[in-house]
Amino acid sequence: MIRLSALLALALCALPAAAQEFSVLVSPPRFEASAKPGETFRSVLEITNVSSQPARLGIRTADWTLRADGSAEFDYALAPGSCRPWVGLEAAEVHLPANGKRRYRFEVAVPADAPAGECRFALMLEGDPQAVRGSTVPIAGRIGVIVYLAVGGAAPRLTVTGTRTAMVEGREVPAIEVRNDGNAHGRLDGLVEGEDAGGTRYAFAPNGLPILPGETRVIPLVPQADRPDAPAPTLRFPVRLKGRLETSAGAVDVEGTFPG
């Protein structure tokens, strides 16, 4: 679920914020589905106004790219090869009463001659501009809900191409470089067993960022604490890892020594 506020533009994650008596929740945070050429994919976005004031939202589509840090950059200009012309929206704007809820429909009409690949776009929900203390320019919040639609059996093909370390919340952790030679996005899931230089064993989890077709992305592997309330583990390098991580199209082997 994603929350929209008049102060923040949110990209891929559900990040809460509050501003000027305007707050909207959107669910799900993303869509991952498939369709065949000639089919029409239909789905519903649930929008909830949790403010005591009515809300108006403009809704349109956008293309997007993914930065190295995993955040999305949205663009309303039609990108080359964009599938946005296939997309149909229920309405260009919606009005929500105070504490009201709305189910919003959209569809993707896949052409019969569409090649195998992935249709990716964002549903952009934008609030009215509002005055913000300390600023002379009104600010409008927005949310981008990402849609991934695999067409014609499109799938990722992920390969580990290198090892390194990365910084996560000020801590150094092992990381792998992952290449996607498929025609749809992929994610890594699961746990890999490892041991640091002090002999302490940990389970390491990937951060779950999408790896787009033709992209090589650095995926940190974060050690998991024994309990949810335990402090984040501090590793002693070098760290040795060995195991397998799952993808939607099979498993990826992870093995190596990370010197730190």
Side-chain angles (χ1 to χ4, degrees):
M1 184 172 290
I2 298 179
R3 181 187 296 267
L4 169 65
S5 84
L7 287 181
L8 296 178
L10 307 183
L12 297 180
C13 302
L15 301 178
Q20 306 294 315
E21 292 297 319
F22 181 75
S23 192
V24 171
L25 301 178
V26 180
S27 181
R30 67 174 179 258
F31 292 86
E32 294 179 299
S34 61
K36 298 177 182 178
E39 288 185 345
T40 297
F41 168 79
R42 296 181 175 88
S43 198
V44 175
L45 189 67
E46 189 169 275
I47 310 169
T48 304
N49 181 14
V50 296
S51 170
S52 59
Q53 301 295 324
R56 186 196 74 85
L57 295 175
I59 303 179
R60 52 180 169 162
T61 64
D63 287 302
W64 57 274
T65 55
L66 204 59
R67 301 186 184 98
D69 64 1
S71 61
E73 182 175 353
F74 301 106
D75 191 347
Y76 294 118
L78 198 65
S82 173
C83 66
R84 286 164 55 201
W86 307 351
V87 181
L89 302 178
E90 178 182 344
E93 66 178 41
V94 297
H95 296 260
L96 295 162
N99 300 308
K101 182 178 292 188
R102 168 73 181 268
R103 288 171 60 82
Y104 182 86
R105 294 170 295 180
F106 71 96
E107 65 180 32
V108 184
V110 182
D113 59 351
E118 188 170 59
C119 172
R120 294 188 301 272
F121 63 94
L123 297 170
M124 304 302 298
L125 292 83
E126 302 172 322
D128 288 329
Q130 298 187 25
V132 177
R133 183 180 302 173
S135 174
T136 59
V137 179
I139 297 177
R142 68 176 184 174
I143 291 176
V145 178
I146 303 298
V147 179
Y148 301 90
L149 187 66
V151 175
R157 185 155 57 91
L158 304 184
T159 306
V160 176
T161 59
T163 60
R164 53 182 293 179
T165 61
M167 298 301 292
V168 175
E169 297 180 353
R171 295 179 296 131
E172 189 174 23
V173 300
I176 52 177
E177 298 173 1
V178 183
R179 172 78 181 174
N180 185 356
D181 292 310
N183 55 3
H185 83 289
R187 300 176 195 271
L188 297 176
D189 192 21
L191 296 170
V192 175
E193 295 297 321
E195 182 177 340
D196 75 357
T200 305
R201 298 193 62 83
Y202 298 99
F204 292 78
N207 66 1
L209 285 175
I211 306 154
L212 302 184
E215 177 184 73
T216 298
R217 180 163 292 277
V218 176
I219 303 295
L221 301 173
V222 181
Q224 306 299 292
D226 293 335
R227 307 183 315 276
D229 59 344
T234 299
L235 298 173
R236 295 177 59 186
F237 286 87
V239 174
R240 295 185 299 275
L241 299 182
K242 184 175 182 180
R244 308 189 86 188
L245 293 172
E246 299 299 322
T247 78
S248 60
V252 171
D253 291 321
V254 178
E255 183 174 0
T257 299
F258 300 77

